[in-house]
Amino acid sequence: MSNEASGKDTLTVRDNRTGQDYEIPITDGTIAAKDLGQIKVGDDQPGLATYDPGFVNTASCRSAVTYIDGDQGILEYRGYPIEQLAEKSNFLEVAYLLIHGALPTKAEYDAWVHEITYHTFVHENVKSFMEGFRYDAHPMGMLMASTGALSTFYPDARNITDADNRHMQIVRMIAKMPTLGAWSFRHAQGKPFVYPDNDLGYTANFLSMLFKMSEKKFEADERLVKALDVLFILHADHEQNASTNAVRSVGSTQVDPYSAVAAGVGALFGPLHGGANEAVLRMLRRIGSKENIPAFIAGVKDGNEKLMGFGHRVYKNYDPRAKIIKKSAEDVFEVTGTNPLLDIAKELEKIALEDEYFVKRKLYPNVDFYSGLIYEAFQFPPEMFTVLFAIGRTPGWLAQWLELVQDKDQKIARPKQIYTGDRRLTFAPASERWA
Ligand code: ACO
């Protein structure tokens, strides 16, 4: 093979088992895995495949929803930078953008907000079955189960080829997620469920369903409403993350969207995905005061433990969401009174960002470094943190599901395996084996 560049958008592969060369097209920086299938040692032999647990270097779809550049620290929804959306938009407008692919006109926005607002109620039977959970049920388990159960209330959701029908289910799901999330929280607290208040905006209504007691109307401080709304925006999508991949994988069977989103909630429940912010809080508490930071950092550098809330598989720069959250944390503490853990977190960040160990490894604060502090200021117990993430992520899951079901390239998600077990054993019935 020559070392010279031919300028062609192809990959030349020599199979050293056979000496044969293959030319494979490169499109958008990828080769199609199926093109490797032609590489065989014999006509009756299987074609070459790739082995990629966790899809570390495999694109599973084409998507126009979210763009991330991890080296530069860029995150854009439908082309709009996250910083601008967090500062100037609101969660429902961002949800519209993610689902529809473009910003709404005034009339479209009003209609969208109206639709979502008037679908926040759930069937009374949902309330009864949620009451049936054990007194200490984890709210994420309750959210996952009740999201999936919505498919039994809306059997028409199975008709995923009809655009109007898809729209209806998307509206229902974005509208009802806060109701299900808030009721999961109230159940664990032994408090009565609060019905949605249609006079309130999306996030203010969520806070009302969470915290309202005997007062006629619950109106949260506007600054807290804004901070939570921003957190929802920051979590609204993150391209092919584990839970979105779960939604797409289950959705590829053409099941209804409630079942697909329930799978996403399940994936988010895992500590490797939705749970790091809780670990950050535990770490900050353990450090206890600024004086203890140098000793803690020394322990991290010795490999004894990790600096939780730092580092990211994709971002090798400051996670753009962490910057926005840090500012939100300050706004929230203005209302709730400061938390000494915030000072420890800021000092920890400052020291780590100047330390060669972290600089060399490109370890920066991620979205979870400050989010737990904000959630705690709202007086959410740690089990609720992931529920908040799920409510924020719902428009992203649905935008990706919508893209999936309309994508002609998509097939049922069914990976290959490399079989490592026994073959052709002879089965003896139990009566012989145990004789
Ligand atoms: N503290 C100290 N060292 C770290 C940290 C950290 N938080 N993160 C990575 N490193 C070190 C690793 O030990 C490794 O060092 P080495 O090269 O000397 O072996 C190097 O940096 C590269 O780290 P990897 O583990 O290869 O990075 P990877 O991309 O696999 O992991 C991850 C990313 C899991 C997020 C990791 O940075 C981590 O565990 N961070 C702490 C947990 C956390 O905050 N998770 C939330 C992520 S955001 C989200 O999921 C919403």
Side-chain angles (χ1 to χ4, degrees), residues 200-220:
L200 298 174
Y202 188 84
T203 304
N205 171 50
F206 177 52
L207 287 168
S208 162
M209 290 189 289
L210 286 164
F211 297 120
K212 184 170 182 291
M213 291 306 290
S214 61
E215 62 271 51
K216 263 212 159 82
K217 209 165 183 67
F218 182 92
E219 283 178 271

Side-chain angles (χ1 to χ4, degrees), residues 139 177-197 200 202-215 218 220 224 228 232 375 378-381 383-385 387-388 391:
M177 249 4 213
T179 313
L180 300 177
W183 287 7
S184 305
F185 171 74
R186 300 283 291 202
H187 180 77
Q189 307 249 315
K191 291 180 180 159
F193 296 163
V194 177
Y195 286 104
D197 180 343
L200 298 174
Y202 188 84
T203 304
N205 171 50
F206 177 52
L207 287 168
S208 162
M209 290 189 289
L210 286 164
F211 297 120
K212 184 170 182 291
M213 291 306 290
S214 61
E215 62 271 51
F218 182 92
L224 294 184
L228 191 54
F232 285 158
Y375 296 149
F378 276 90
Q379 301 193 332
F380 288 120
E383 310 83 74
M384 269 303 282
F385 294 0
V387 171
L388 303 168
I391 294 171

